[in-house]
Amino acid sequence: MLDEQAESLLAETSLEESADIQEKFKYVLLPSIDAKGMLIWRMTIKDGFQIMRESHEAENMARAGLSESAD
């Protein structure tokens, strides 16, 4: 989930959801914080693209009836 005021992600946000948020709002850098507001990590646009690419590759392999272990 996105913290609208601080423009940061909560630590429990999935990587895929984080990448979707980054793409939707066109963030170049998106911090992830814990419940105390402490920085956990910063998701760069490069990280977001990598996550999206891996997610799409896994979806395409699944459609073809393949798995990563069979690759």
Side-chain angles (χ1 to χ4, degrees), residues 1-70:
M1 299 290 298
L2 182 68
D3 179 346
E4 297 289 337
Q5 280 186 321
E7 297 179 348
S8 59
L9 296 170
L10 301 177
E12 61 269 6
T13 307
S14 73
L15 290 175
E16 289 82 10
E17 186 178 359
S18 299
D20 288 340
I21 290 169
Q22 187 177 35
E23 180 180 31
K24 179 179 178 181
F25 294 103
K26 309 291 187 228
Y27 293 126
V28 174
L29 185 69
L30 192 56
S32 180
I33 58 172
D34 66 12
K36 296 178 184 177
M38 300 296 293
L39 180 67
I40 304 282
W41 72 296
R42 286 175 260 183
M43 181 177 183
T44 66
I45 196 163
K46 182 180 177 182
D47 295 329
F49 284 136
Q50 181 69 28
I51 292 164
M52 296 298 283
R53 182 174 43 251
E54 290 173 3
S55 177
H56 288 127
E57 286 175 1
E59 288 173 13
N60 289 336
M61 289 179 70
R63 282 191 208 118
L66 302 172
S67 67
E68 286 187 38
S69 59

